[in-house]
Amino acid sequence: LHPGRPRSRAVTVPYRTAKSIPMLTQSQRLELVRNCLEFQQVAVSTRIAGLISLLWAHPLVKIAALTTDRLERLPEGMTIKLGGNPAAVPELVAPLFWEHLSNRGNQQTSNTGTNWLFPGFRAGQHIHHRTLGERFLVLGIDPQRARNATLQDLVRQVDARSLIDLLGYSGSIVTQHASRAGAPMSDYVD
């Protein structure tokens, strides 16, 4: 021991299990989707990121790091690839996606020619997920509540294997949300 130096001790903190899952109601979620479509005073990039969260339950970290090649125009419509397989972009929102692709922010100086769907302020970097989260507040979106509500809705509508392939989530995450939603578990893969 050295006089005057504080002792360092290992501190063990027990893992805390959440007692409740922060959630939106379906009507709240639909209202937020409407905000993304109608709030023209909000940047299109923020509205698009909000739609990706509200429609496909994609986490902010992954939304921020999406590249433009994840969106594709096909004869039958637009798709977005978030996992192994592309998901159809609803016709109602596709024009907003195309508007964003044709005029992404931060392209004039630091990120000219970048393939980030949401370019950041620093050259070669995508937007920081915390910045994106702060922008969501303008639309009234709490990312965690939106993601949980969207996942619970999706597990009721789509079989597990397809959901895992579409969203890129692990089987255990899909299974947890299916269990909470009361969805049949026979199709779920770990």
Side-chain angles (χ1 to χ4, degrees):
L1 283 176
H2 297 286
R5 283 193 173 166
R7 292 186 204 187
S8 63
R9 290 186 237 166
V11 176
T12 305
V13 178
Y15 178 75
R16 179 184 141 327
T17 305
K19 300 218 186 291
S20 65
I21 306 298
M23 236 9 156
L24 299 171
T25 65
Q26 183 65 356
S27 62
Q28 289 171 322
R29 187 169 151 241
L30 291 174
E31 183 65 29
L32 292 172
V33 168
R34 188 174 297 112
N35 292 353
C36 291
L37 294 172
E38 295 177 356
F39 282 16
Q40 293 184 12
Q41 70 275 21
V42 176
V44 173
S45 61
T46 303
R47 295 162 56 201
I48 291 298
L51 286 167
I52 294 169
S53 175
L54 292 163
L55 297 176
W56 295 287
H58 218 49
L60 279 179
V61 170
K62 290 185 176 185
I63 293 172
L66 286 172
T67 53
T68 56
D69 62 348
R70 294 300 187 149
L71 291 172
E72 189 174 5
R73 176 179 276 173
L74 301 171
E76 56 276 359
M78 177 186 248
T79 63
I80 185 167
K81 190 171 182 183
L82 302 171
N85 294 331
V89 174
E91 278 186 53
L92 180 65
V93 301
L96 200 57
F97 278 74
W98 288 122
E99 180 183 339
H100 173 65
L101 275 175
S102 66
N103 192 20
R104 290 175 291 137
N106 299 327
Q107 292 282 293
Q108 287 71 30
T109 55
S110 64
N111 266 324
T112 303
T114 185
N115 70 334
W116 295 116
L117 188 56
F118 303 104
F121 298 108
R122 298 176 70 194
Q125 300 293 311
H126 57 73
I127 192 169
H128 195 279
H129 69 276
R130 286 191 189 121
T131 302
L132 202 50
E134 290 169 7
R135 291 180 180 181
F136 274 20
L137 296 176
V138 175
L139 294 166
I141 300 172
D142 174 324
Q144 184 180 16
R145 290 170 47 118
R147 188 170 146 241
N148 286 336
T150 302
L151 268 174
Q152 290 228 347
D153 187 45
L154 289 172
V155 297
R156 290 184 188 110
Q157 296 178 34
V158 181
D159 70 276
R161 181 77 264 157
S162 297
L163 198 56
I164 290 165
D165 291 343
L166 286 173
L167 302 179
Y169 276 99
S170 70
S172 61
I173 295 294
V174 171
T175 301
Q176 287 173 14
H177 282 274
S179 175
R180 289 182 191 128
M185 299 299 287
S186 59
D187 298 336
Y188 286 82
V189 180
D190 269 332

PDB file of all heavy atoms in Angstrom, residues 74-96:
ATOM      1  N   LEU A  74     -37.499  -2.132 -57.570  1.00  0.00           N
ATOM      2  CA  LEU A  74     -37.812  -3.285 -58.409  1.00  0.00           C
ATOM      3  C   LEU A  74     -39.103  -2.994 -59.160  1.00  0.00           C
ATOM      4  O   LEU A  74     -39.856  -2.096 -58.770  1.00  0.00           O
ATOM      5  CB  LEU A  74     -37.989  -4.534 -57.534  1.00  0.00           C
ATOM      6  CG  LEU A  74     -36.780  -4.924 -56.680  1.00  0.00           C
ATOM      7  CD1 LEU A  74     -37.154  -6.038 -55.713  1.00  0.00           C
ATOM      8  CD2 LEU A  74     -35.627  -5.349 -57.560  1.00  0.00           C
ATOM      9  N   PRO A  75     -39.401  -3.754 -60.225  1.00  0.00           N
ATOM     10  CA  PRO A  75     -40.659  -3.518 -60.948  1.00  0.00           C
ATOM     11  C   PRO A  75     -41.888  -3.600 -60.039  1.00  0.00           C
ATOM     12  O   PRO A  75     -42.856  -2.874 -60.229  1.00  0.00           O
ATOM     13  CB  PRO A  75     -40.684  -4.633 -62.000  1.00  0.00           C
ATOM     14  CG  PRO A  75     -39.262  -5.019 -62.181  1.00  0.00           C
ATOM     15  CD  PRO A  75     -38.586  -4.784 -60.855  1.00  0.00           C
ATOM     16  N   GLU A  76     -41.830  -4.464 -59.017  1.00  0.00           N
ATOM     17  CA  GLU A  76     -42.984  -4.600 -58.112  1.00  0.00           C
ATOM     18  C   GLU A  76     -42.954  -3.617 -56.942  1.00  0.00           C
ATOM     19  O   GLU A  76     -43.846  -3.635 -56.103  1.00  0.00           O
ATOM     20  CB  GLU A  76     -43.111  -6.044 -57.607  1.00  0.00           C
ATOM     21  CG  GLU A  76     -41.905  -6.619 -56.925  1.00  0.00           C
ATOM     22  CD  GLU A  76     -40.862  -7.216 -57.883  1.00  0.00           C
ATOM     23  OE1 GLU A  76     -41.046  -7.212 -59.109  1.00  0.00           O
ATOM     24  OE2 GLU A  76     -39.829  -7.657 -57.384  1.00  0.00           O
ATOM     25  N   GLY A  77     -41.948  -2.757 -56.873  1.00  0.00           N
ATOM     26  CA  GLY A  77     -41.889  -1.745 -55.820  1.00  0.00           C
ATOM     27  C   GLY A  77     -40.522  -1.658 -55.175  1.00  0.00           C
ATOM     28  O   GLY A  77     -39.564  -2.296 -55.600  1.00  0.00           O
ATOM     29  N   MET A  78     -40.441  -0.873 -54.139  1.00  0.00           N
ATOM     30  CA  MET A  78     -39.186  -0.653 -53.430  1.00  0.00           C
ATOM     31  C   MET A  78     -39.015  -1.680 -52.321  1.00  0.00           C
ATOM     32  O   MET A  78     -39.990  -2.093 -51.700  1.00  0.00           O
ATOM     33  CB  MET A  78     -39.190   0.752 -52.822  1.00  0.00           C
ATOM     34  CG  MET A  78     -37.969   1.066 -51.996  1.00  0.00           C
ATOM     35  SD  MET A  78     -38.136   2.665 -51.186  1.00  0.00           S
ATOM     36  CE  MET A  78     -36.899   3.554 -52.059  1.00  0.00           C
ATOM     37  N   THR A  79     -37.754  -2.065 -52.073  1.00  0.00           N
ATOM     38  CA  THR A  79     -37.439  -2.944 -50.945  1.00  0.00           C
ATOM     39  C   THR A  79     -36.336  -2.321 -50.112  1.00  0.00           C
ATOM     40  O   THR A  79     -35.569  -1.482 -50.594  1.00  0.00           O
ATOM     41  CB  THR A  79     -36.970  -4.349 -51.412  1.00  0.00           C
ATOM     42  OG1 THR A  79     -35.757  -4.219 -52.151  1.00  0.00           O
ATOM     43  CG2 THR A  79     -38.042  -5.050 -52.230  1.00  0.00           C
ATOM     44  N   ILE A  80     -36.270  -2.752 -48.855  1.00  0.00           N
ATOM     45  CA  ILE A  80     -35.193  -2.368 -47.958  1.00  0.00           C
ATOM     46  C   ILE A  80     -34.643  -3.651 -47.354  1.00  0.00           C
ATOM     47  O   ILE A  80     -35.399  -4.517 -46.932  1.00  0.00           O
ATOM     48  CB  ILE A  80     -35.661  -1.373 -46.871  1.00  0.00           C
ATOM     49  CG1 ILE A  80     -34.470  -0.897 -46.034  1.00  0.00           C
ATOM     50  CG2 ILE A  80     -36.773  -1.957 -46.006  1.00  0.00           C
ATOM     51  CD1 ILE A  80     -34.774   0.307 -45.157  1.00  0.00           C
ATOM     52  N   LYS A  81     -33.335  -3.755 -47.342  1.00  0.00           N
ATOM     53  CA  LYS A  81     -32.704  -4.963 -46.824  1.00  0.00           C
ATOM     54  C   LYS A  81     -32.092  -4.641 -45.454  1.00  0.00           C
ATOM     55  O   LYS A  81     -31.080  -3.962 -45.359  1.00  0.00           O
ATOM     56  CB  LYS A  81     -31.635  -5.467 -47.787  1.00  0.00           C
ATOM     57  CG  LYS A  81     -31.123  -6.835 -47.436  1.00  0.00           C
ATOM     58  CD  LYS A  81     -30.230  -7.373 -48.529  1.00  0.00           C
ATOM     59  CE  LYS A  81     -29.769  -8.760 -48.157  1.00  0.00           C
ATOM     60  NZ  LYS A  81     -28.843  -9.293 -49.163  1.00  0.00           N
ATOM     61  N   LEU A  82     -32.752  -5.142 -44.406  1.00  0.00           N
ATOM     62  CA  LEU A  82     -32.300  -4.912 -43.034  1.00  0.00           C
ATOM     63  C   LEU A  82     -31.657  -6.161 -42.444  1.00  0.00           C
ATOM     64  O   LEU A  82     -30.863  -6.081 -41.522  1.00  0.00           O
ATOM     65  CB  LEU A  82     -33.480  -4.477 -42.163  1.00  0.00           C
ATOM     66  CG  LEU A  82     -34.202  -3.219 -42.642  1.00  0.00           C
ATOM     67  CD1 LEU A  82     -35.478  -2.986 -41.859  1.00  0.00           C
ATOM     68  CD2 LEU A  82     -33.282  -2.015 -42.557  1.00  0.00           C
ATOM     69  N   GLY A  83     -32.043  -7.317 -42.969  1.00  0.00           N
ATOM     70  CA  GLY A  83     -31.484  -8.601 -42.549  1.00  0.00           C
ATOM     71  C   GLY A  83     -30.983  -9.328 -43.771  1.00  0.00           C
ATOM     72  O   GLY A  83     -30.470  -8.717 -44.713  1.00  0.00           O
ATOM     73  N   GLY A  84     -31.188 -10.646 -43.806  1.00  0.00           N
ATOM     74  CA  GLY A  84     -30.744 -11.443 -44.932  1.00  0.00           C
ATOM     75  C   GLY A  84     -31.610 -11.299 -46.167  1.00  0.00           C
ATOM     76  O   GLY A  84     -31.138 -11.447 -47.286  1.00  0.00           O
ATOM     77  N   ASN A  85     -32.894 -11.039 -45.991  1.00  0.00           N
ATOM     78  CA  ASN A  85     -33.834 -10.911 -47.105  1.00  0.00           C
ATOM     79  C   ASN A  85     -34.428  -9.513 -47.131  1.00  0.00           C
ATOM     80  O   ASN A  85     -34.654  -8.911 -46.091  1.00  0.00           O
ATOM     81  CB  ASN A  85     -34.980 -11.928 -46.958  1.00  0.00           C
ATOM     82  CG  ASN A  85     -34.486 -13.351 -47.094  1.00  0.00           C
ATOM     83  OD1 ASN A  85     -33.515 -13.625 -47.779  1.00  0.00           O
ATOM     84  ND2 ASN A  85     -35.157 -14.261 -46.415  1.00  0.00           N
ATOM     85  N   PRO A  86     -34.710  -8.989 -48.329  1.00  0.00           N
ATOM     86  CA  PRO A  86     -35.320  -7.656 -48.416  1.00  0.00           C
ATOM     87  C   PRO A  86     -36.782  -7.666 -47.989  1.00  0.00           C
ATOM     88  O   PRO A  86     -37.477  -8.660 -48.146  1.00  0.00           O
ATOM     89  CB  PRO A  86     -35.186  -7.297 -49.895  1.00  0.00           C
ATOM     90  CG  PRO A  86     -34.987  -8.583 -50.608  1.00  0.00           C
ATOM     91  CD  PRO A  86     -34.410  -9.559 -49.639  1.00  0.00           C
ATOM     92  N   ALA A  87     -37.212  -6.551 -47.423  1.00  0.00           N
ATOM     93  CA  ALA A  87     -38.613  -6.352 -47.033  1.00  0.00           C
ATOM     94  C   ALA A  87     -39.213  -5.303 -47.967  1.00  0.00           C
ATOM     95  O   ALA A  87     -38.533  -4.355 -48.365  1.00  0.00           O
ATOM     96  CB  ALA A  87     -38.694  -5.869 -45.588  1.00  0.00           C
ATOM     97  N   ALA A  88     -40.468  -5.471 -48.296  1.00  0.00           N
ATOM     98  CA  ALA A  88     -41.155  -4.509 -49.158  1.00  0.00           C
ATOM     99  C   ALA A  88     -41.385  -3.206 -48.396  1.00  0.00           C
ATOM    100  O   ALA A  88     -41.776  -3.221 -47.226  1.00  0.00           O
ATOM    101  CB  ALA A  88     -42.489  -5.083 -49.622  1.00  0.00           C
ATOM    102  N   VAL A  89     -41.123  -2.104 -49.056  1.00  0.00           N
ATOM    103  CA  VAL A  89     -41.436  -0.786 -48.502  1.00  0.00           C
ATOM    104  C   VAL A  89     -42.855  -0.463 -48.952  1.00  0.00           C
ATOM    105  O   VAL A  89     -43.138  -0.491 -50.154  1.00  0.00           O
ATOM    106  CB  VAL A  89     -40.447   0.285 -48.998  1.00  0.00           C
ATOM    107  CG1 VAL A  89     -40.857   1.678 -48.528  1.00  0.00           C
ATOM    108  CG2 VAL A  89     -39.026  -0.042 -48.539  1.00  0.00           C
ATOM    109  N   PRO A  90     -43.753  -0.166 -48.014  1.00  0.00           N
ATOM    110  CA  PRO A  90     -45.135   0.137 -48.413  1.00  0.00           C
ATOM    111  C   PRO A  90     -45.201   1.264 -49.439  1.00  0.00           C
ATOM    112  O   PRO A  90     -44.462   2.242 -49.357  1.00  0.00           O
ATOM    113  CB  PRO A  90     -45.803   0.550 -47.093  1.00  0.00           C
ATOM    114  CG  PRO A  90     -44.961  -0.071 -46.031  1.00  0.00           C
ATOM    115  CD  PRO A  90     -43.558  -0.079 -46.567  1.00  0.00           C
ATOM    116  N   GLU A  91     -46.101   1.109 -50.404  1.00  0.00           N
ATOM    117  CA  GLU A  91     -46.256   2.100 -51.478  1.00  0.00           C
ATOM    118  C   GLU A  91     -46.479   3.506 -50.945  1.00  0.00           C
ATOM    119  O   GLU A  91     -46.008   4.476 -51.528  1.00  0.00           O
ATOM    120  CB  GLU A  91     -47.433   1.724 -52.376  1.00  0.00           C
ATOM    121  CG  GLU A  91     -47.107   0.702 -53.422  1.00  0.00           C
ATOM    122  CD  GLU A  91     -48.281   0.481 -54.354  1.00  0.00           C
ATOM    123  OE1 GLU A  91     -48.790   1.476 -54.913  1.00  0.00           O
ATOM    124  OE2 GLU A  91     -48.679  -0.688 -54.505  1.00  0.00           O
ATOM    125  N   LEU A  92     -47.185   3.615 -49.840  1.00  0.00           N
ATOM    126  CA  LEU A  92     -47.501   4.921 -49.270  1.00  0.00           C
ATOM    127  C   LEU A  92     -46.244   5.680 -48.827  1.00  0.00           C
ATOM    128  O   LEU A  92     -46.197   6.902 -48.918  1.00  0.00           O
ATOM    129  CB  LEU A  92     -48.450   4.747 -48.069  1.00  0.00           C
ATOM    130  CG  LEU A  92     -48.896   6.002 -47.352  1.00  0.00           C
ATOM    131  CD1 LEU A  92     -49.737   6.878 -48.268  1.00  0.00           C
ATOM    132  CD2 LEU A  92     -49.688   5.645 -46.110  1.00  0.00           C
ATOM    133  N   VAL A  93     -45.227   4.966 -48.367  1.00  0.00           N
ATOM    134  CA  VAL A  93     -44.029   5.634 -47.847  1.00  0.00           C
ATOM    135  C   VAL A  93     -42.866   5.644 -48.837  1.00  0.00           C
ATOM    136  O   VAL A  93     -41.915   6.398 -48.664  1.00  0.00           O
ATOM    137  CB  VAL A  93     -43.576   5.031 -46.496  1.00  0.00           C
ATOM    138  CG1 VAL A  93     -44.664   5.149 -45.466  1.00  0.00           C
ATOM    139  CG2 VAL A  93     -43.118   3.607 -46.636  1.00  0.00           C
ATOM    140  N   ALA A  94     -42.919   4.823 -49.880  1.00  0.00           N
ATOM    141  CA  ALA A  94     -41.817   4.738 -50.840  1.00  0.00           C
ATOM    142  C   ALA A  94     -41.422   6.094 -51.437  1.00  0.00           C
ATOM    143  O   ALA A  94     -40.228   6.383 -51.552  1.00  0.00           O
ATOM    144  CB  ALA A  94     -42.149   3.727 -51.935  1.00  0.00           C
ATOM    145  N   PRO A  95     -42.372   6.972 -51.810  1.00  0.00           N
ATOM    146  CA  PRO A  95     -41.964   8.272 -52.364  1.00  0.00           C
ATOM    147  C   PRO A  95     -41.091   9.095 -51.404  1.00  0.00           C
ATOM    148  O   PRO A  95     -40.171   9.784 -51.835  1.00  0.00           O
ATOM    149  CB  PRO A  95     -43.298   8.981 -52.630  1.00  0.00           C
ATOM    150  CG  PRO A  95     -44.281   7.878 -52.821  1.00  0.00           C
ATOM    151  CD  PRO A  95     -43.831   6.794 -51.876  1.00  0.00           C
ATOM    152  N   LEU A  96     -41.363   9.000 -50.126  1.00  0.00           N
ATOM    153  CA  LEU A  96     -40.553   9.708 -49.134  1.00  0.00           C
ATOM    154  C   LEU A  96     -39.129   9.150 -49.111  1.00  0.00           C
ATOM    155  O   LEU A  96     -38.157   9.909 -49.005  1.00  0.00           O
ATOM    156  CB  LEU A  96     -41.210   9.588 -47.753  1.00  0.00           C
ATOM    157  CG  LEU A  96     -40.825  10.600 -46.699  1.00  0.00           C
ATOM    158  CD1 LEU A  96     -41.088  12.025 -47.160  1.00  0.00           C
ATOM    159  CD2 LEU A  96     -41.592  10.324 -45.415  1.00  0.00           C
TER     160      LEU A  96
END
